[in-house]
Amino acid sequence: MCGIVAYIGPKQAYPILLKGLQRLEYRGYDSAGIALLNGGLILFKTKGKVAELEDYLKDKNLKGTIGIAHTRWATHGEPNQTNAHPHFSKSKKLAIIHNGIIENYAALKKELTKRGYTFDSDTDTEVLINLIEDIQQNENVSLEEAVRISLNQVIGAYAIVVLSQDNPDMLIAARKGSPLVIGVGEDDYFIASDATPIIEYTKNVVYLEDEEVAVVKRGEDLQIRNIKNRKKTPYIQELEWNLNELEKGGYEHFMLKEIYEQPRSVKDSMRGRLNAQSGIVSLGGIVDYEDKMLKARRIIMIACGTSWHAGLVGEYLFEDIARIPVEVEYASEFRYRNPIIDENDVVIAISQSGETADTLAAIEMARSKGATILGICNVVGSSIARATDAGTYTHAGPEIGVASTKAFTAQVTVLTLMALRLAKLKGTLPKSRFMQLLNELEALPEKITKVLDDHGITERIAEEFKAASNFLYLGRGYNFPVALEGALKLKEISYIHAEGYPAAEMKHGPIALIDENMPVVFIAPNKGIYEKVVSNIQEVKARNGKIIAIVTEGDTTVKDLADYIIEIPETEEMLVPILASVPLQKLAYYIAILRGCNVDQPRNLAKSVTVE
Ligand code: G6P
């Protein structure tokens, strides 16, 4: 969603801000803008992509060593040039960029209107900058103080950066509920909504906490106070990610790169945690909470989107091998449905970005009822990672493509490690079976490499079905969530309507859709209730549906029934989701490419959904 980047230091700000906006494009947005200070405050913004802003700025004077820039994903007011950020205050002496939503903006706006303020845009952000200006002028306080007083009046979420014509050596940044990172360079500072615009300049960062206001002055130490004016000591952390992880590295799209990174990312998510030879699985981050998990009345997994699908695989894993009851909930539903939850429950929040607003809110709700909260996040230092009692990072590396791929397989890998660890502690698996599973898990990265090398079959299937209007994805058991995830990938990036279903449920509705134009993707490995899935395939075939099946290498039964098969190597039933999701990601990717879609930034979607 919205992206923030700001710079203050000795260098020219514009190239740094522009590059930063490009790095933030992956979050999803619909307009972009920039404000620079060089004597006077200048502000430019455009609807559409960062490239359009760059084009518009071609012959402008863009000098200045301090500036702010923004990509906006519309919430209040349509995506147009006026509503794009930055926004000026009435005097045009202050400019602001803002992520989040000011919930009481209408009341504040009414008050300001009475006092003679007028507004160009429909945004809550323009209200906030005028509130700051009004307080600064009427209460005769410093800008910093005015920001603090304003934020005490605001209800909602914000990450803001304020630039002031009268304070050419200072930026003010603040956050609540929406992330903000400050990069600390040799003699300069970078502020951004995530670390991606910062990495190439410095690895030293400070993550602002909720209700903190940072005063970032040229050539001076960083000062942080909370909105109650209590002084805070900045805690400088080192970023783990590297610049080359943010580049396409020769691939045409980030999504394809990330699909192909999976042998490495799955390995990284197991690194230091699994030693199959010695029979060791350990997850350092949650070691103090193992007892709590074992004794929990139940474990509740909360997540959104693809992470929710990983949670569903987790449910099968935890119940199957560790015999612990699990429920999986959409965070957005859980937070509002008054669930029965108390200190006997353990909640596991799963999130790639660690910033999803609904997941964060669901965590707070569960905490208020006394539950223990664990996290599975990819982004180190993210809001969810910090809001949980403990957790396990997935270590998949930055995921830039909006459609999640390597983060999903890493989440499922971590959930598998957790389930195995709990099974070991609980003694629910015979030793030989446990060892067998560890060995199979360790062998997965190599098997993913084999799956990726499919001799062009997914591309041929994509070519044949690129014009389809609908797709059905079917699987059973561990592969039901894989069917959901396959369908989600396709609809997200190709805009083809796709549904995932448990294969047997097909008879209760979707079978009515099947005719010779309906491609049906089956996940049909030779494990679990394979024969039942074969019967479901026959039911589709009898109605002339087109069958694409993911099967275990050497399968002949399904091969005879299906129009196309994609083979995956033999593995344990519970590990099939990791292997089987890879060809489904590739299929969605190639279909989207053939339909001319922007796979890395699909329309209307955001990578990190920071509003509910
Ligand atoms: C958005 C993204 C999805 C992601 C979901 C949950 O919809 O586009 O790829 O699965 O949010 O995000 P999270 O970061 O919490 O996993």
Side-chain angles (χ1 to χ4, degrees):
M1 286 197 162
C2 303
I4 281 177
V5 55
Y7 175 78
I8 179 166
K11 302 190 190 87
Q12 283 301 306
Y14 174 65
I16 294 171
L17 296 176
L18 184 72
K19 190 79 173 288
L21 289 182
Q22 287 160 348
R23 294 246 185 256
L24 291 171
E25 283 192 290
Y26 80 99
R27 293 167 70 97
Y29 69 104
D30 39 54
S31 52
I34 194 162
L36 295 161
L37 183 57
N38 188 16
L41 199 51
I42 47 169
L43 192 154
F44 304 101
K45 42 198 192 178
T46 50
K47 187 180 171 206
K49 294 288 173 196
V50 172
E52 286 163 60
L53 178 71
E54 189 182 4
D55 221 37
Y56 174 63
L57 294 179
K58 249 188 203 136
D59 26 271
K60 308 272 189 299
N61 177 0
L62 300 166
K63 289 226 159 57
T65 53
I66 178 170
I68 58 179
H70 192 260
T71 48
R72 172 175 187 256
W73 190 89
T75 55
H76 290 73
E78 63 173 284
N80 58 26
Q81 188 180 21
T82 315
N83 289 332
H85 299 208
H87 287 284
F88 270 140
S89 63
K90 187 179 165 197
S91 72
K92 296 204 164 30
K93 284 187 169 184
L94 299 179
I96 190 172
I97 48 177
H98 166 220
N99 289 359
I101 295 179
I102 309 293
E103 286 167 14
N104 59 337
Y105 87 105
L108 296 169
K109 189 171 184 177
K110 212 166 153 192
E111 204 46 48
L112 289 165
T113 310
K114 275 196 220 150
R115 299 157 72 85
Y117 284 84
T118 53
F119 299 89
D120 293 334
S121 76
D122 308 317
T123 64
D124 49 345
T125 307
E126 197 186 2
V127 174
L128 179 58
I129 195 62
N130 281 305
L131 177 67
I132 294 171
E133 181 162 287
D134 188 60
I135 290 172
Q136 194 189 3
Q137 286 172 359
N138 290 317
E139 301 193 16
N140 200 15
V141 291
S142 68
L143 180 61
E144 181 191 350
E145 191 60 24
V147 169
R148 244 193 321 266
I149 297 171
S150 315
L151 294 180
N152 276 291
Q153 297 181 19
V154 153
I155 300 170
Y158 54 79
I160 56 165
V161 185
V162 177
L163 175 62
S164 153
Q165 184 166 307
D166 295 337
N167 296 275
D169 297 317
M170 179 177 83
L171 288 170
I172 295 186
R175 76 155 266 180
K176 182 182 177 191
S178 206
L180 211 53
V181 193
I182 303 178
V184 183
E186 291 256 308
D187 48 5
D188 45 10
Y189 290 104
F190 308 82
I191 307 172
S193 41
D194 67 47
T196 50
I198 298 177
I199 291 176
E200 60 198 284
Y201 307 106
T202 176
K203 287 204 156 189
N204 296 327
V205 295
V206 175
Y207 291 95
L208 278 193
E209 299 285 344
D210 272 354
E211 301 198 329
E212 282 184 351
V213 182
V215 176
V216 187
K217 284 191 178 159
R218 211 188 290 274
E220 289 187 20
D221 287 345
L222 187 62
Q223 294 167 41
I224 301 179
R225 289 176 177 270
N226 69 9
I227 59 170
K228 305 287 177 224
N229 205 13
R230 198 164 312 125
K231 198 167 180 215
K232 298 291 201 77
T233 311
Y235 168 57
I236 299 185
Q237 300 184 40
E238 196 172 324
L239 287 173
E240 273 188 1
W241 292 350
N242 291 312
L243 185 58
N244 57 12
E245 292 182 286
L246 301 178
E247 309 280 354
K248 288 188 194 146
Y251 286 91
E252 209 175 323
H253 297 95
F254 281 110
M255 182 177 174
L256 192 62
K257 176 185 173 224
E258 287 157 8
I259 290 172
Y260 274 83
E261 272 175 353
Q262 288 177 106
R264 199 262 315 138
S265 53
V266 166
K267 202 173 195 167
D268 283 350
S269 64
M270 298 193 281
R271 197 181 301 284
R273 297 168 171 173
L274 171 71
N275 184 333
Q277 273 175 339
S278 332
I280 294 172
V281 186
S282 66
L283 292 161
I286 55 162
V287 76
D288 295 338
Y289 289 83
E290 285 172 351
D291 208 40
K292 203 96 202 166
M293 291 171 93
L294 292 170
K295 292 192 181 129
R297 176 176 51 183
R298 65 190 169 156
I299 290 177
I300 305 166
M301 303 201 185
I302 51 170
C304 302
T306 288
S307 300
W308 184 76
H309 294 154
L312 287 181
V313 181
E315 178 180 20
Y316 282 86
L317 282 161
F318 277 46
E319 296 205 343
D320 187 12
I321 59 176
R323 310 303 295 154
I324 299 175
V326 174
E327 280 173 33
V328 187
E329 298 250 12
Y330 284 116
S332 54
E333 286 298 310
F334 182 72
R335 63 181 287 200
Y336 285 121
R337 72 168 187 80
N338 193 16
I340 300 164
I341 174 166
D342 59 31
E343 60 284 355
N344 298 311
D345 296 308
V346 172
V347 167
I348 303 181
I350 308 170
S351 175
Q352 186 287 126
S353 64
E355 302 298 346
T356 305
D358 280 317
T359 310
L360 254 176
I363 288 173
E364 295 314 330
M365 191 272 273
R367 180 187 304 293
S368 72
K369 301 203 180 252
T372 299
I373 321 282
L374 305 178
I376 297 179
C377 292
N378 193 37
V379 178
V380 176
S382 56
S383 303
I384 292 174
R386 286 179 301 147
T388 45
D389 297 314
T392 303
Y393 283 116
T394 43
H395 295 307
E399 191 178 68
I400 305 293
V402 164
S404 184
T405 53
K406 65 174 179 171
F408 173 74
T409 45
Q411 288 165 341
V412 175
T413 305
V414 165
L415 286 161
T416 311
L417 292 170
M418 266 188 195
L420 284 165
R421 173 74 188 163
L422 295 173
K424 181 167 190 195
L425 294 170
K426 222 176 158 189
T428 44
L429 284 177
K431 177 135 196 256
S432 57
R433 176 80 184 122
F434 179 75
M435 295 301 282
Q436 203 178 358
L437 289 172
L438 294 201
N439 277 308
E440 272 302 318
L441 188 55
E442 200 166 57
L444 268 189
E446 217 170 291
K447 292 187 181 176
I448 299 174
T449 306
K450 273 182 117 180
V451 175
L452 285 167
D453 187 12
D454 68 1
H455 309 288
I457 181 69
T458 41
E459 282 168 270
R460 289 200 291 282
I461 300 172
E463 184 62 48
E464 161 117 24
F465 295 106
K466 64 177 187 235
S469 314
N470 297 289
F471 258 78
L472 196 56
Y473 286 72
L474 301 173
R476 300 184 74 157
Y478 278 98
N479 296 311
F480 160 49
V482 178
L484 295 179
E485 176 57 12
L488 178 64
K489 283 293 83 81
L490 187 69
K491 73 183 130 196
E492 280 179 314
I493 60 170
S494 74
Y495 318 138
I496 294 175
H497 171 247
E499 270 192 76
Y501 245 80
E505 270 295 303
M506 171 186 69
K507 286 193 280 299
H508 303 285
I511 200 165
L513 301 171
I514 293 172
D515 62 14
E516 66 285 0
N517 298 316
M518 176 65 118
V520 183
V521 180
F522 276 94
I523 300 106
N526 64 358
K527 293 285 174 310
I529 45 174
Y530 171 71
E531 285 78 17
K532 306 269 178 200
V533 179
V534 171
S535 306
N536 299 137
I537 295 176
Q538 261 152 350
E539 288 158 5
V540 172
K541 185 151 181 84
R543 285 154 186 90
N544 300 321
K546 295 278 182 299
I547 296 162
I548 301 156
I550 296 185
V551 298
T552 309
E553 249 164 24
D555 182 296
T556 50
T557 313
V558 176
K559 191 174 180 190
D560 288 345
L561 294 169
D563 296 272
Y564 289 95
I565 57 160
I566 303 172
E567 294 190 320
I568 57 170
E570 178 83 45
T571 190
E572 289 288 341
E573 183 186 5
M574 68 189 64
L575 302 180
V576 169
I578 295 175
L579 292 185
S581 50
V582 174
L584 299 183
Q585 297 163 350
K586 283 186 72 179
L587 183 62
Y589 172 83
Y590 287 119
I591 291 178
I593 293 296
L594 290 167
R595 288 167 73 95
C597 300
N598 181 348
V599 290
D600 281 340
Q601 290 160 42
R603 70 181 178 209
N604 304 337
L605 294 180
K607 181 73 186 154
S608 154
V609 180
T610 49
V611 296
E612 72 169 276

mmCIF file of all heavy atoms in Angstrom, residues 122 163 181 254 324 336 443 467 472 521 570 587:
data_model
loop_
_atom_site.group_PDB
_atom_site.id
_atom_site.type_symbol
_atom_site.label_atom_id
_atom_site.label_comp_id
_atom_site.label_asym_id
_atom_site.label_seq_id
_atom_site.Cartn_x
_atom_site.Cartn_y
_atom_site.Cartn_z
ATOM 1 N N ASP A 122 -9.667 15.464 -1.093
ATOM 2 C CA ASP A 122 -10.648 14.764 -0.254
ATOM 3 C C ASP A 122 -9.949 13.974 0.850
ATOM 4 O O ASP A 122 -10.560 13.129 1.494
ATOM 5 C CB ASP A 122 -11.431 13.749 -1.101
ATOM 6 C CG ASP A 122 -12.018 14.373 -2.335
ATOM 7 O OD1 ASP A 122 -12.553 15.474 -2.206
ATOM 8 O OD2 ASP A 122 -11.926 13.756 -3.417
ATOM 9 N N LEU A 163 7.719 18.145 6.243
ATOM 10 C CA LEU A 163 8.811 18.989 5.750
ATOM 11 C C LEU A 163 8.355 20.443 5.878
ATOM 12 O O LEU A 163 7.212 20.764 5.543
ATOM 13 C CB LEU A 163 9.055 18.622 4.274
ATOM 14 C CG LEU A 163 10.046 19.398 3.447
ATOM 15 C CD1 LEU A 163 11.454 19.276 4.005
ATOM 16 C CD2 LEU A 163 10.044 18.862 2.000
ATOM 17 N N VAL A 181 10.682 3.387 9.159
ATOM 18 C CA VAL A 181 12.061 3.015 9.457
ATOM 19 C C VAL A 181 12.957 4.208 9.158
ATOM 20 O O VAL A 181 12.777 4.873 8.137
ATOM 21 C CB VAL A 181 12.534 1.860 8.526
ATOM 22 C CG1 VAL A 181 13.830 1.241 9.027
ATOM 23 C CG2 VAL A 181 11.473 0.809 8.343
ATOM 24 N N PHE A 254 10.077 -9.901 -10.747
ATOM 25 C CA PHE A 254 10.388 -10.333 -9.378
ATOM 26 C C PHE A 254 9.678 -11.653 -9.056
ATOM 27 O O PHE A 254 10.235 -12.526 -8.412
ATOM 28 C CB PHE A 254 9.953 -9.270 -8.366
ATOM 29 C CG PHE A 254 10.920 -8.131 -8.277
ATOM 30 C CD1 PHE A 254 10.595 -6.875 -8.745
ATOM 31 C CD2 PHE A 254 12.172 -8.326 -7.717
ATOM 32 C CE1 PHE A 254 11.506 -5.830 -8.661
ATOM 33 C CE2 PHE A 254 13.087 -7.278 -7.622
ATOM 34 C CZ PHE A 254 12.746 -6.032 -8.098
ATOM 35 N N ILE A 324 -2.406 -31.759 18.237
ATOM 36 C CA ILE A 324 -2.855 -30.574 18.980
ATOM 37 C C ILE A 324 -3.989 -29.943 18.166
ATOM 38 O O ILE A 324 -3.831 -29.725 16.964
ATOM 39 C CB ILE A 324 -1.699 -29.546 19.160
ATOM 40 C CG1 ILE A 324 -0.568 -30.196 19.944
ATOM 41 C CG2 ILE A 324 -2.191 -28.279 19.868
ATOM 42 C CD1 ILE A 324 0.664 -29.324 20.087
ATOM 43 N N TYR A 336 -13.444 -9.400 14.828
ATOM 44 C CA TYR A 336 -14.758 -8.787 15.064
ATOM 45 C C TYR A 336 -15.827 -9.775 15.523
ATOM 46 O O TYR A 336 -16.975 -9.406 15.669
ATOM 47 C CB TYR A 336 -15.250 -8.107 13.778
ATOM 48 C CG TYR A 336 -14.523 -6.812 13.493
ATOM 49 C CD1 TYR A 336 -13.818 -6.633 12.314
ATOM 50 C CD2 TYR A 336 -14.543 -5.772 14.418
ATOM 51 C CE1 TYR A 336 -13.144 -5.446 12.053
ATOM 52 C CE2 TYR A 336 -13.880 -4.590 14.167
ATOM 53 C CZ TYR A 336 -13.179 -4.422 12.988
ATOM 54 O OH TYR A 336 -12.526 -3.249 12.736
ATOM 55 N N ALA A 443 15.466 -33.076 2.212
ATOM 56 C CA ALA A 443 15.658 -33.309 0.773
ATOM 57 C C ALA A 443 14.795 -32.383 -0.093
ATOM 58 O O ALA A 443 14.926 -32.365 -1.319
ATOM 59 C CB ALA A 443 15.318 -34.779 0.457
ATOM 60 N N ALA A 467 -6.811 -18.197 -22.570
ATOM 61 C CA ALA A 467 -8.035 -17.429 -22.839
ATOM 62 C C ALA A 467 -9.215 -17.898 -21.992
ATOM 63 O O ALA A 467 -10.331 -17.389 -22.151
ATOM 64 C CB ALA A 467 -8.377 -17.533 -24.317
ATOM 65 N N LEU A 472 -10.978 -24.112 -12.191
ATOM 66 C CA LEU A 472 -11.299 -24.739 -10.912
ATOM 67 C C LEU A 472 -10.051 -25.483 -10.437
ATOM 68 O O LEU A 472 -9.380 -26.136 -11.244
ATOM 69 C CB LEU A 472 -12.448 -25.722 -11.151
ATOM 70 C CG LEU A 472 -13.232 -26.242 -9.965
ATOM 71 C CD1 LEU A 472 -13.812 -25.098 -9.140
ATOM 72 C CD2 LEU A 472 -14.378 -27.146 -10.476
ATOM 73 N N VAL A 521 -7.842 -28.000 -12.412
ATOM 74 C CA VAL A 521 -6.501 -28.394 -11.978
ATOM 75 C C VAL A 521 -6.644 -29.285 -10.745
ATOM 76 O O VAL A 521 -7.215 -28.854 -9.742
ATOM 77 C CB VAL A 521 -5.654 -27.151 -11.621
ATOM 78 C CG1 VAL A 521 -4.256 -27.564 -11.158
ATOM 79 C CG2 VAL A 521 -5.579 -26.192 -12.792
ATOM 80 N N GLU A 570 8.489 -37.939 -5.799
ATOM 81 C CA GLU A 570 7.906 -38.659 -4.661
ATOM 82 C C GLU A 570 8.329 -37.949 -3.361
ATOM 83 O O GLU A 570 9.494 -37.601 -3.189
ATOM 84 C CB GLU A 570 8.518 -40.066 -4.714
ATOM 85 C CG GLU A 570 8.129 -40.998 -3.624
ATOM 86 C CD GLU A 570 6.795 -41.677 -3.884
ATOM 87 O OE1 GLU A 570 6.567 -42.133 -5.017
ATOM 88 O OE2 GLU A 570 6.001 -41.736 -2.933
ATOM 89 N N LEU A 587 2.352 -21.765 -13.348
ATOM 90 C CA LEU A 587 1.223 -21.747 -14.278
ATOM 91 C C LEU A 587 0.545 -20.375 -14.253
ATOM 92 O O LEU A 587 0.276 -19.779 -15.303
ATOM 93 C CB LEU A 587 0.226 -22.853 -13.878
ATOM 94 C CG LEU A 587 -0.979 -23.021 -14.805
ATOM 95 C CD1 LEU A 587 -0.540 -23.412 -16.211
ATOM 96 C CD2 LEU A 587 -1.951 -24.065 -14.248
#
